Amino acid sequence: MYKYILRRLLQMIPVLLGSTFIIFAMVFALPGDPTAGMCGERGCPPAFVAKFRQEHNLNDPLLVQYGKYMVNVAQGDLGTNFRDIKVSDELKQRYPTTVRLAAMAILFETLIGILAGVLAGIRKGKFIDNLVLVSTLFVISVPVFVIGATLQYYLGVKLGLFPVTVSSSATFYELLLPAFVLGSSSIAYVARLTRTNLVENLRADYLRTAIAKGLTKRRAVGVHALRNSLIPVVTFIGADFGGLLAGAIITERIFNIQGVGGYLFTGIHNRDGVVVVGTVTVLVLVFLLANLVVDLLYGVLDPRISHD
């Protein structure tokens, strides 16, 4: 087990380097002057521009810039944005809110998605199965910003059941509606994935044999069939956690949440490459760690899978 974890951690290093380099190159290779608009309509003085470019290593070749950046990242320094504020300090303030939002979205998609998938799987061809298939297809086809704006208007403005925007404290109640919106598409995918795998396992020989030997259908389905059906679902949910952290940009903008997504959007809008690269670096690292946890859970769900 420990050798497997160490091997996976070592495999993360080239993935992290490759992904961050691509993002770094894409951000800092864009044409234009990052100091444009920082000093008003007249433009910044040449002395300020020269000092700015020197402080942010903008005069160096791309590989040199990236090398200096990664040396600082290895020391825990994600750089200083163009407003002389440390990116790590900003992320420390915003990350707890986004993590709570993503965790609540994961909880919604796990509970609602798996429950809907199980009901559709054991009632294949019945009303509940058709209802789940049609509703999930509808949710998948509608963009997240449409779902968010619609629920915000009807549940927030019209009915007053939820806050329209989220305050700086970002309480559990305030994040309920944004979390559901963020995880809405994932709920549909989890439901369809659970239903498909459960239907396939219900036709398996081992399940029919277990029932023929006297095992109750409820236990055969709830313990054996569902457990084997959850392996691809866990894979999707684990990979989706990193995606939800990055995909929270739209949801955080709709509900005015002061999280990582809004910070990343501001960095892109202001062409602040340090903010964009630093935020994406953390997101990539979280995504890789989430996938490692998912791989370790395989052995819990299926004892046949060994990590030795």
Side-chain angles (χ1 to χ4, degrees), residues 4-25:
Y4 175 79
I5 296 176
L6 180 60
R7 185 168 66 250
R8 285 297 306 273
L9 291 175
L10 293 176
Q11 291 173 353
M12 290 182 185
I13 296 177
V15 176
L16 182 64
L17 292 176
S19 57
T20 53
F21 177 75
I22 292 174
I23 297 298
F24 192 93

Side-chain angles (χ1 to χ4, degrees), residues 7 12 21-22 47 50 72 96 155-156 158 168 202 211 216 229 244 248-249 261 269 288 305:
R7 185 168 66 250
M12 290 182 185
F21 177 75
I22 292 174
N72 293 331
L155 299 182
K158 284 288 187 180
S168 58
L202 288 176
I211 295 175
T216 62
S229 302
L244 288 177
I249 297 177
H269 183 266
L288 293 174
I305 300 176

Side-chain angles (χ1 to χ4, degrees), residues 27 30 81-83 87 90-91 94 98 145 244-280 283:
V27 171
L30 291 175
N81 65 12
F82 293 168
R83 306 294 177 182
V87 175
E90 289 281 353
L91 292 179
R94 297 171 180 267
T98 301
F145 66 87
L244 288 177
L245 292 177
I249 297 177
I250 299 176
T251 305
E252 289 185 1
R253 292 291 295 176
I254 294 175
F255 293 94
N256 193 32
I257 302 174
Q258 303 302 314
V260 176
Y263 184 57
L264 181 59
F265 176 85
T266 303
I268 296 173
H269 183 266
N270 295 334
R271 297 194 59 185
D272 196 330
V274 180
V275 170
V276 176
V277 176
T279 305
V280 172
L283 292 177

Side-chain angles (χ1 to χ4, degrees), residues 127-147:
F127 172 77
I128 187 66
D129 184 24
N130 295 324
L131 177 62
V132 170
L133 291 177
V134 172
S135 59
T136 53
L137 181 62
F138 175 79
V139 172
I140 292 172
S141 62
V142 178
V144 174
F145 66 87
V146 175
I147 297 176

Side-chain angles (χ1 to χ4, degrees), residues 161-204:
L161 299 177
F162 298 96
V164 178
T165 58
V166 177
S167 63
S168 58
S169 58
T171 63
F172 176 81
Y173 178 67
E174 291 177 335
L175 291 176
L176 276 176
L177 185 58
F180 181 80
V181 171
L182 180 60
S184 57
S185 297
S186 298
I187 292 174
Y189 283 115
V190 168
R192 295 176 73 91
L193 192 59
T194 303
R195 184 256 181 199
T196 301
N197 286 278
L198 183 60
V199 169
E200 182 179 350
N201 281 290
L202 288 176
R203 297 196 300 261

